[in-house]
Amino acid sequence: MSRTRTIGEAELRSLATGAGVLGTGGGTHPYLELLNIEKLYREGRHARLISADALGDDELVAVVGLMGAPLVTKERLPDPDHVLRPVRLMEDFTGRRFDAVMSIEIGSENSILPLMVSALCGIPVVDADTMGRAFPEAQMASFAIRGLSLTPFVISDIRDNDLVITRTEDALWTERIGRRVCTELGSIVATCSAPRTGREVKDHAILGSISRAIRLGEAVMNARRRHESPIAAVLIAERGVHLFRGKVSDVARRTTGGFVRGEAQIEGVDEFAGDVFLVDFQNEFTIGRHAGEVRVTVPDLICILDSLTGTALGTETIRYGQRVDILSLPCDPIMSSSEGLQRVGPRAFGYDFDFVSLHRMAA
Amino acid sequence: MSRTRTIGEAELRSLATGAGVLGTGGGTHPYLELLNIEKLYREGRHARLISADALGDDELVAVVGLMGAPLVTKERLPDPDHVLRPVRLMEDFTGRRFDAVMSIEIGSENSILPLMVSALCGIPVVDADTMGRAFPEAQMASFAIRGLSLTPFVISDIRDNDLVITRTEDALWTERIGRRVCTELGSIVATCSAPRTGREVKDHAILGSISRAIRLGEAVMNARRRHESPIAAVLIAERGVHLFRGKVSDVARRTTGGFVRGEAQIEGVDEFAGDVFLVDFQNEFTIGRHAGEVRVTVPDLICILDSLTGTALGTETIRYGQRVDILSLPCDPIMSSSEGLQRVGPRAFGYDFDFVSLHRMAA
C-alpha cells in the first residue's frame, strides 16, 4: 500500500472552505489560491498527502508559508513558482533535498501553499501544520513554542530578491527581521523556515490539519447543498461554541508595520438584539468582547461567518452591513499549554489579562 | 621579497587621521577603532598590507564594512570579532576561504575594519577601497557602479543575528533590504559583500587607498608637530581646493531611516566675513552652497576641518561655535564617470542639478 494518497480535485474546494473558517479572520476563504491549485490539477499536476506517522524519522520536511498583510494576498494572484523558490533555495543552502512539505498554518491561504509545492515537484504534503489555525507572527508556530529554532529562514519576494536569515537569538528576532524585510519587499513574501525531521514533525507539529480542514469544508458545503445551517455544521464538526449573531455596524482598520490591525463592532439581532460585540484584530481576530466583557481570546479561534452561507469573513473583508455569526472553536493543546500561552496568549498580543478557555476539554 | 608588509604601529594613527579627512563628514576621526586596533597590536596581532597588483587573479577578497548611522559608531565600542563574523559566515556560505580583505570605503571607521580582520586571522589587507571616500549607501561602491553584483551580502548584528542576502534585482535592492534590516538591528551591523577576485579588485576597485590615507594623515600630523597649517598640508597632499573659513552658526540634524540627515550653516571669518556657507548632509556632506550658489557637490569630497588642528569634523560632531575650514578634494574618476554620477552624483542624492567638478584633472 502506498504511504501517500493523491488529494482529490473535489477535496481542494473543501480544503479551501475549511481553511477559510480556521483562518479566524486572517485571509478568509483562499479563493485565488484555490483557482491556482485547480489550474495545476487541470494541467495534470496533483498534490499528494502523507500522514505524519508515515514519515521516516530522518526524512526532511520543508515548512512553507506566505508572510505579509492579508490585503496583499487578496490583490495579487499567487504564483506557485514563487512559493517553490524559497524551498529550492533552502535545499541549496543546506545541501539536502526535502522529502515532504508542510504549511506553517492551516488557516486560509497558507493551507494551499504546500499543495502547490507538491504539485510542482512531487514531494507529498504532510497532513499537519504548526498553528492549527492562523496566527500573525512566525514565533507563534508550534515548533518555536517547543523551542526549535526557526533558522535558517529563507525569504523570497515577488521580484528576484532572496535572503537567508541564517541565525537569530530567538524566534522573536526571526519574526522581527523577517517582518521588516517583508514590509520593505511589498508586505508579501514566500518563506521556508528551518527544515524539520520526520521525528520533529511527529513530536511537535499539529497533526491531521489538512484532513481536518477538508472535513470541515465538506460539512459546510454539504449543509449549503441541503439548505441546512452551515453555522450549525461548523459548530458540530469542530465542537465549537456559538457566541453572537448580528450585523456589522463599524470597522476600523489600519495597515502598519506589515500587519492589518483594528476592531470590528457587531450589533446583535434575534436573541442578541440590543447587545454589542466587539472584536479586535491583528491580521487575525484576537479578542472578542460581549457587552463590554471579554468573552473569548487567543489562542482559541474566533470565527466570523456569513450567517447565510457560512463563508468565513476576514479582517480585510468584514464590512458594514454584513449579517454574521460569531463562533469560537477550541485551540490545539500546544497553544493553550503554558509555553504556548507565552507566545500566543492574550498577553503576547499586548492585553493585560490571562487566557480562560471557553471550551471544556473532552479528554 | 614578501608580497606583503606589516602595517607599522605608528602608521595606524596616520591612517585614522587621514581616513577621518577622507570620511567627508561620515564618522570623522575613527578614534574608538584606532584604540581597538592598537590594542590588537599590543597583543602581538598585526595587520599586513598587500598591493592589489600583488594579488593573484583568482585570489578571493572579502569586502567588509560597517553599515549604519554614524552616531551609533560613536556610542558603541567596536568589536573585532563582530567585524570578523560576516567574513567567516561568507566563507561558510560560499565554501571558499578568503585570501585577503579590503574595506568598502576608506573614509573614517571603515578604513580600520579590514585591519582588524587581518590582525585576527592573518590574511592581508588590500591597499584599495570601493569609494575613495565615504558614501552613505551600498550601491555607491565602485564594484556596483561597474555592474558587479553585491550579493551574496552577509549581515551580522551585535547580538547573535546573522543573515545572507543571497540575490537581489540590483544593488539598490541590496541597499534597501540591508538598510531596513540594519535599522531593525539597532542601526549598526557588520557586513561582508560579494567576494571579489583579485582580477576584479585590480580592474574595478579604487587602488592605493590605505597608503593614501596614511600619507595624508602623516602630512597632517607633521604639520601639527611643526606648528604649520594642517589645512595647507591637506590641500597640498590631496591637491584640494580651499572653499571657506568660518564659524559654525547652526546645525540641524535628524536620524531617520538609518541615516543622519540635515544641514550646517557656517558664517565667514577673515576674507569670508559677512558670507554664509551652507552644507547639506546624508551621513556624509553632500552639497556646499556659498552665498546661496552651489559651489561643490558629490562625488567631490567636502571636508570640514577644525581650523587649528585639522581634525575632521563629521555630520554628528559638527556643532555651534566651531572654527572650521571647508575644503574640497577631487573624487576618483570612477565616481565622476557617467555611470558613477548616476549612483553618486547630485541627482542620486535627490538634487535637481548636475555635477560640475571644481577640480581640473591633471591628466
Side-chain angles (χ1 to χ4, degrees):
Chain A
M1 198 186 93
S2 169
R3 62 179 198 150
T4 68
R5 72 168 183 87
T6 298
I7 298 174
E9 189 162 355
E11 290 177 296
L12 298 176
R13 199 157 287 255
S14 302
L15 172 61
T17 301
V21 174
L22 297 174
T24 72
T28 74
H29 183 71
Y31 180 66
L32 298 177
E33 288 72 18
L34 175 61
L35 294 184
N36 220 281
I37 187 72
E38 284 180 338
K39 177 163 179 287
L40 287 172
Y41 268 60
R42 282 197 303 277
E43 293 166 2
R45 302 159 106 169
H46 298 102
R48 288 180 301 125
L49 190 67
I50 185 169
S51 156
D53 292 341
L55 286 173
D57 282 355
D58 296 329
E59 286 193 286
L60 216 58
V61 179
V63 185
V64 299
L66 284 181
M67 181 183 242
L71 182 62
V72 184
T73 66
K74 298 287 167 210
E75 293 188 339
R76 272 195 68 79
L77 285 175
D79 172 2
D81 288 323
H82 176 212
V83 174
L84 183 59
R85 213 167 83 220
V87 176
R88 292 300 193 205
L89 186 53
M90 183 69 88
E91 289 183 330
D92 291 347
F93 182 74
T94 59
R96 292 191 58 188
R97 306 291 283 181
F98 284 115
D99 302 296
V101 60
M102 65 180 279
S103 176
I104 188 166
E105 62 188 1
I106 190 62
S108 207
E109 290 85 358
N110 277 330
S111 64
I112 313 280
L113 295 204
L115 278 67
M116 294 178 182
V117 174
S118 177
L120 285 181
C121 70
I123 58 175
V125 177
V126 184
D127 191 2
D129 79 319
T130 78
M131 295 183 173
R133 44 168 291 169
F135 275 124
E137 301 185 16
Q139 79 280 3
M140 296 171 175
S142 59
F143 294 143
I145 289 169
R146 289 289 178 82
L148 302 180
S149 171
L150 296 182
T151 58
F153 190 94
V154 177
I155 293 176
S156 295
D157 81 345
I158 53 147
R159 299 173 201 83
D160 280 330
N161 299 312
D162 297 306
L163 62 107
V164 187
I165 303 173
T166 53
R167 186 177 62 147
T168 57
E169 285 216 337
D170 57 28
L172 282 159
W173 276 105
T174 311
E175 164 65 24
R176 279 182 67 166
I177 297 169
R179 188 67 50 179
R180 270 297 184 119
V181 169
C182 169
T183 307
E184 187 67 18
L185 295 174
S187 284
I188 190 77
V189 291
T191 71
C192 182
S193 53
R196 293 274 89 98
T197 64
R199 186 72 257 155
E200 288 172 332
V201 172
K202 287 179 257 191
D203 289 346
H204 304 300
I206 293 171
L207 305 181
S209 308
I210 300 274
S211 306
R212 173 191 176 197
I214 292 172
R215 274 198 312 274
L216 174 57
E218 280 171 355
V220 170
M221 290 164 72
N222 285 337
R224 285 179 195 159
R225 241 189 317 268
R226 296 176 193 141
H227 303 289
E228 295 169 3
S229 162
I231 308 298
V234 172
L235 290 170
I236 292 163
E238 289 283 320
R239 287 188 280 184
V241 173
H242 186 265
L243 298 176
F244 203 73
R245 174 171 296 144
K247 201 176 82 168
V248 180
S249 56
D250 199 11
V251 180
R253 67 168 74 81
R254 53 199 182 281
T255 298
T256 55
F259 298 110
V260 57
R261 298 172 195 266
E263 46 279 326
Q265 178 179 293
I266 297 100
E267 291 183 359
V269 297
D270 301 342
E271 70 266 38
F272 300 99
D275 281 8
V276 169
F277 201 98
L278 289 171
V279 179
D280 292 0
F281 51 84
Q282 176 190 342
N283 284 13
E284 284 76 35
F285 301 121
T286 50
I287 300 288
R289 292 184 179 86
H290 187 171
E293 293 288 309
V294 175
R295 175 96 166 96
V296 58
T297 80
V298 278
D300 278 344
L301 286 68
I302 303 172
C303 306
I304 305 186
L305 308 182
D306 181 284
S307 292
L308 195 64
T309 64
T311 300
L313 300 176
T315 52
E316 287 289 4
T317 55
I318 191 168
R319 62 175 194 277
Y320 179 83
Q322 286 168 331
R323 301 280 178 151
V324 301
D325 280 82
I326 306 176
L327 284 54
S328 174
L329 313 183
C331 66
D332 189 272
I334 294 179
M335 297 297 155
S336 54
S337 67
S338 61
E339 316 97 288
L341 289 175
Q342 284 178 31
R343 288 283 169 79
V344 297
R347 293 184 189 279
F349 285 83
Y351 294 95
D352 193 24
F353 47 79
D354 290 312
F355 171 69
V356 179
S357 180
L358 273 175
H359 307 276
R360 300 290 148 257
M361 292 300 150
Chain B
M1 198 187 94
S2 168
R3 63 180 197 147
T4 68
R5 72 167 183 86
T6 299
I7 298 174
E9 188 162 355
E11 291 177 296
L12 299 177
R13 200 156 287 254
S14 302
L15 172 60
T17 302
V21 174
L22 298 173
T24 74
T28 75
H29 182 71
Y31 181 65
L32 298 178
E33 289 72 18
L34 176 61
L35 294 184
N36 219 281
I37 187 72
E38 285 180 338
K39 177 164 179 285
L40 287 172
Y41 268 60
R42 282 197 303 277
E43 293 166 3
R45 302 160 108 168
H46 298 101
R48 289 180 301 125
L49 191 67
I50 185 169
S51 156
D53 292 340
L55 286 173
D57 282 355
D58 295 328
E59 286 193 285
L60 217 58
V61 179
V63 185
V64 299
L66 284 180
M67 181 182 243
L71 183 61
V72 185
T73 67
K74 299 287 169 211
E75 293 188 341
R76 273 194 66 80
L77 286 175
D79 172 2
D81 289 321
H82 176 212
V83 174
L84 184 59
R85 213 167 84 220
V87 176
R88 292 300 194 207
L89 185 53
M90 183 68 88
E91 290 182 330
D92 292 346
F93 182 74
T94 60
R96 291 191 59 188
R97 306 290 285 180
F98 285 116
D99 302 297
V101 60
M102 65 180 281
S103 175
I104 187 165
E105 64 187 1
I106 189 62
S108 209
E109 289 86 0
N110 277 330
S111 64
I112 313 280
L113 294 205
L115 278 68
M116 294 178 182
V117 174
S118 177
L120 285 181
C121 70
I123 59 176
V125 177
V126 184
D127 191 3
D129 79 318
T130 78
M131 295 184 174
R133 45 167 291 169
F135 276 124
E137 301 184 18
Q139 79 280 3
M140 296 173 174
S142 60
F143 294 142
I145 288 169
R146 289 289 178 81
L148 302 180
S149 171
L150 296 182
T151 59
F153 189 93
V154 177
I155 293 175
S156 295
D157 82 345
I158 53 146
R159 297 172 201 82
D160 280 331
N161 299 311
D162 298 307
L163 62 107
V164 187
I165 303 172
T166 53
R167 186 176 64 146
T168 57
E169 284 216 337
D170 57 27
L172 282 160
W173 275 106
T174 312
E175 163 66 24
R176 277 182 69 167
I177 297 169
R179 188 67 49 179
R180 270 298 185 116
V181 169
C182 169
T183 308
E184 186 66 18
L185 295 174
S187 284
I188 190 76
V189 292
T191 71
C192 183
S193 52
R196 293 273 89 97
T197 65
R199 186 72 258 156
E200 288 171 332
V201 172
K202 286 180 258 192
D203 289 346
H204 304 299
I206 294 172
L207 304 182
S209 309
I210 300 274
S211 305
R212 172 191 178 197
I214 292 173
R215 275 197 313 274
L216 174 58
E218 280 170 354
V220 170
M221 290 164 71
N222 285 336
R224 286 179 195 158
R225 240 188 318 268
R226 297 175 193 140
H227 303 289
E228 295 169 3
S229 162
I231 307 298
V234 172
L235 290 169
I236 293 163
E238 289 282 319
R239 288 188 282 184
V241 173
H242 187 265
L243 298 176
F244 202 72
R245 174 170 298 143
K247 203 176 82 166
V248 179
S249 56
D250 199 10
V251 180
R253 68 168 75 81
R254 54 198 181 279
T255 298
T256 55
F259 299 111
V260 57
R261 299 172 194 265
E263 46 278 327
Q265 178 179 293
I266 297 101
E267 292 184 356
V269 298
D270 301 344
E271 70 266 37
F272 301 98
D275 281 8
V276 169
F277 201 99
L278 290 171
V279 179
D280 292 0
F281 51 85
Q282 176 190 341
N283 283 15
E284 283 77 35
F285 302 122
T286 50
I287 301 288
R289 292 184 178 88
H290 186 170
E293 293 289 309
V294 175
R295 177 95 165 95
V296 60
T297 79
V298 277
D300 278 345
L301 285 68
I302 302 172
C303 306
I304 305 186
L305 309 182
D306 181 283
S307 292
L308 195 64
T309 63
T311 299
L313 300 176
T315 52
E316 286 289 3
T317 56
I318 191 168
R319 62 175 194 277
Y320 179 83
Q322 287 167 332
R323 301 281 179 149
V324 301
D325 280 81
I326 306 176
L327 283 56
S328 175
L329 313 183
C331 67
D332 189 272
I334 294 178
M335 297 296 155
S336 54
S337 67
S338 60
E339 315 97 289
L341 290 175
Q342 285 179 29
R343 287 281 169 79
V344 297
R347 292 183 191 279
F349 285 83
Y351 294 96
D352 192 25
F353 47 79
D354 290 314
F355 171 70
V356 179
S357 180
L358 273 175
H359 307 276
R360 299 291 149 257
M361 293 300 151

